[in-house]
Amino acid sequence: SSEIIAGRGLGGGVIAGIAVEGMEGAVARAVKRVRERFERAGAESVEECTPKEFSGIRRKAAAKTVGSSLLTVTAPPAASAALLEAFRRIRPDAPVIAHPLLGRIHIRTDDSMTVETVTEKALAMGGKRPVFFGHAVQQGIAGFFSPDELAVARSLKRELDPDGILNPHLRLG
């Protein structure tokens, strides 16, 4: 998988993350190829890290890039390009972090008119109602699911973990 974070908040810099997985030998060869390609492209630094370490780096870069008024939009991956284009028309200056293959886009905004317009666009393209950063922490992950998805998640949780042993703090509403 891959992820790119770029923006004015990073002083014009770019952070690129490439994740590789597989058998040990194949991973070592893939890491070597990725390193060589980044170095040939003129990367300032190329570092290996664990997924947990990269997650921390990514969170810090995202916070620096978009701040605290981060609106998260989830939509079908096929709608990602159209949503990004629509968001650029709505707020051309707003920092955006996109995970297009996941159908998740984060946009920085703190004005209610933009939030309403982003919500309309997301829902029109089959997405879900956007939520602000910290929503999952405050409300649990239930806010990220539609009622039908939440019903499936709850039934799976009950079936697979009837005693509530796995993820005991997981709140599904």
Side-chain angles (χ1 to χ4, degrees):
S1 66
S2 63
E3 181 170 344
I4 296 176
I5 302 172
R8 283 174 248 148
L10 297 176
V14 174
I15 294 176
I18 308 293
V20 293
E21 62 179 318
M23 294 189 300
E24 191 173 330
V27 168
R29 287 187 301 277
V31 167
K32 182 180 177 190
R33 282 194 312 270
V34 168
R35 174 180 291 285
E36 289 169 353
R37 289 191 176 139
F38 271 102
E39 288 172 349
R40 270 198 318 261
E44 188 176 302
S45 69
V46 179
E47 300 173 27
E48 291 180 46
C49 61
T50 66
K52 186 176 182 177
E53 290 167 336
F54 181 72
S55 182
I57 293 166
R58 182 182 67 200
R59 286 184 193 281
K60 287 178 187 172
K64 197 173 187 182
T65 302
V66 298
S68 62
S69 54
L70 185 64
L71 188 65
T72 299
V73 178
T74 304
S80 293
L83 274 173
L84 279 168
E85 187 178 319
F87 295 167
R88 284 290 177 224
R89 283 194 303 270
I90 295 166
R91 287 283 309 272
D93 61 328
V96 172
I97 297 174
H99 311 275
L101 296 178
L102 297 175
R104 187 163 301 126
I105 301 168
H106 311 285
I107 183 172
R108 179 180 173 190
T109 184
D110 47 12
D111 79 66
S112 61
M113 180 179 259
T114 301
V115 172
E116 289 172 20
T117 307
V118 165
T119 300
E120 287 174 20
K121 295 286 185 194
L123 294 175
M125 292 184 187
K128 298 176 184 168
R129 185 164 299 286
V131 295
F132 275 100
F133 178 81
H135 176 85
V137 174
Q138 297 164 5
Q139 305 297 322
I141 65 170
F144 288 105
F145 295 111
S146 70
D148 290 340
E149 291 168 329
L150 190 55
V152 169
R154 284 182 178 135
S155 68
L156 286 171
K157 175 84 168 133
R158 278 192 305 274
E159 187 67 31
L160 298 173
D161 186 22
D163 298 323
I165 296 169
L166 304 172
N167 294 323
H169 304 291
L170 179 66
R171 294 184 311 195
L172 288 173

